[in-house]
Amino acid sequence: MKIPVIIDTDPGVDDAIALFLAFSSDKLDIRAVTTVGGNIPLEKTTKNSIDLVSYFGKSAKISKGASGPLLRELETAEWVHGASGIASVKLPKGNIELYEKNAWDTIYEEAIKFEGKLNIITLGPLTNIAIALMKYPDLKDKIERITLMGGACYIGNTTPAAEFNIYVDAEAADIVFKSGIPLTMVGLDATHKAVVLEEEINEITSSGNRVSSVVKELFQSCLSVCKLYGAEGAIVHDALAVAAVIDPSIISKKEYYVSIETKGELTYGKTVVDIYDVTKNKPNVEVALGVDRERFVQMFKGMMREYA
Ligand code: BDR
Ligand code: CA
């Protein structure tokens, strides 16, 4: 049976690549794409989601979510993703109607339908999930797992301590991490090892099929930003979270107790990972630490065949 999933996202260059990967997979039954303000404002993440799913020639409910964090102003990242959110890529205007329910109501609707089997993949700030959990207290028992791109054991990319998706709405992340829902955190510890090298990008996109020039532009935009930071290839963070649901064995992981810093002046948004079990708290998160990079790259090659 396919895995029923909702993808909560803020496209986003790497979100777009992640969506390409997700919609190419015969392992996933994508029930909905729910949008959130993050990399760019909500209106644009929603438009990009509609345009992308239409461009893939697929269908899914697309539901609009929160325009900004629970308590703070939204901080966006146009300098990474461009003003449109998908760099210089121009897509035809999509033809999917926005679903009548908003993100949190759609999440609940699908959770009820799948009786505990629904998975959620989050590729942006956790605002929609936190709102869903606050509005529907029984939701926590109706989700099989949340696989989230966010956080890290050791590093930050938005502040020295915090990764972007957690930093943007740490209060929301705190609610999700305390929810008791099984969590897999695909953070920077793993995504920084999942680089796709320039020659691999060329191989992946050399097929000349109907999506290859768009995929190439997305990868190359990601590559140029990553090179500014000395990375040896493109780090497509969000795609690794999708890959980890399609094939969980692609990442290596360990269970830890993880909490979210919401007060720290220098550390707001840090995922505090109890690596040495000093708190003796029961682990609440499966933390991705490594990746089978070769197989990750192979997955993209398989993805391109699906769009041929
Ligand atoms: C995360 O931040 C966003 O800019 C990316 O889309 C990804 O979800 C990486 O820290
Ligand atoms: Ca994202």
Side-chain angles (χ1 to χ4, degrees):
M1 185 188 136
K2 288 187 179 192
I3 306 165
V5 295
I6 285 185
I7 303 180
D8 189 78
T9 181
D10 61 338
V13 170
D14 59 330
D15 302 72
I17 297 173
L19 289 170
F20 264 101
L21 184 60
F23 277 91
S24 76
S25 171
D26 59 5
K27 300 257 167 59
L28 307 182
D29 172 13
I30 304 173
R31 308 297 311 166
V33 173
T34 53
T35 63
V36 66
N39 288 321
I40 47 166
L42 178 69
E43 293 307 320
K44 290 183 180 177
T45 61
T46 305
K47 177 190 179 333
N48 289 345
S49 298
I50 290 175
D51 292 351
L52 282 160
V53 179
S54 308
Y55 181 69
F56 305 151
K58 307 277 179 175
S59 65
K61 291 175 187 168
I62 299 187
S63 292
K64 210 193 237 189
S67 58
L70 298 180
L71 302 180
R72 291 160 41 109
E73 288 293 305
L74 176 64
E75 288 187 38
T76 52
E78 280 88 355
W79 65 275
V80 176
H81 300 272
S84 73
I86 49 172
S88 54
V89 169
K90 298 269 177 289
L91 293 175
K93 190 171 174 326
N95 54 8
I96 299 174
E97 287 283 324
L98 202 56
Y99 189 52
E100 70 224 25
K101 292 191 176 178
N102 62 27
W104 37 93
D105 292 341
T106 304
I107 290 169
Y108 191 64
E109 177 175 72
E110 292 297 326
I112 296 290
K113 195 177 297 166
F114 284 93
E115 299 176 334
K117 294 278 172 248
L118 182 71
N119 274 255
I120 301 179
I121 306 174
T122 68
L123 310 178
L126 289 160
T127 319
N128 289 338
I129 316 301
I131 294 174
L133 288 168
M134 288 189 286
K135 181 164 180 188
Y136 301 105
D138 57 328
L139 177 65
K140 62 179 189 324
D141 304 317
K142 302 193 184 323
I143 304 287
E144 187 169 82
R145 177 168 293 277
I146 297 176
T147 300
L148 61 107
M149 192 283 128
C153 296
Y154 297 107
I155 48 171
N157 63 1
T158 300
T159 70
E163 180 280 331
F164 180 81
N165 290 337
I166 307 295
Y167 172 83
V168 168
D169 196 350
E171 283 75 17
D174 188 41
I175 290 171
V176 174
F177 277 64
K178 284 178 178 157
S179 68
I181 298 172
L183 301 176
T184 300
M185 175 174 117
V186 181
L188 304 178
D189 312 287
T191 64
H192 280 204
K193 293 175 188 149
V195 287
V196 184
L197 305 175
E198 187 159 15
E199 56 270 28
E200 292 166 339
I201 295 174
N202 292 335
E203 267 177 62
I204 290 166
T205 56
S206 65
S207 57
N209 72 15
R210 69 181 177 91
V211 300
S212 51
S213 65
V214 166
V215 174
K216 186 165 194 168
E217 222 173 314
L218 289 166
F219 264 113
Q220 274 177 338
S221 153
C222 186
L223 178 67
S224 21
V225 175
C226 293
K227 277 193 169 164
L228 296 176
Y229 291 90
E232 49 171 345
I235 301 173
V236 280
H237 305 276
D238 290 338
L240 188 61
V242 168
V245 176
I246 294 174
D247 178 359
S249 71
I250 206 158
I251 52 168
S252 56
K253 51 214 162 196
K254 263 191 155 174
E255 297 206 331
Y256 292 116
Y257 176 69
V258 184
S259 40
I260 306 293
E261 175 58 86
T262 57
K263 303 268 184 294
E265 189 185 337
L266 300 175
T267 52
Y268 175 85
K270 180 171 175 54
T271 44
V272 181
V273 183
D274 185 6
I275 292 181
Y276 294 113
D277 191 25
V278 293
T279 64
K280 304 289 176 219
N281 287 331
K282 195 168 160 267
N284 58 339
V285 181
E286 185 179 86
V287 178
L289 297 171
V291 59
D292 185 334
R293 203 193 70 80
E294 302 289 324
R295 272 171 55 216
F296 185 51
V297 172
Q298 284 305 325
M299 231 186 228
F300 288 118
K301 293 185 182 161
M303 165 185 105
M304 294 307 280
R305 287 194 287 276
E306 289 308 311
Y307 289 106

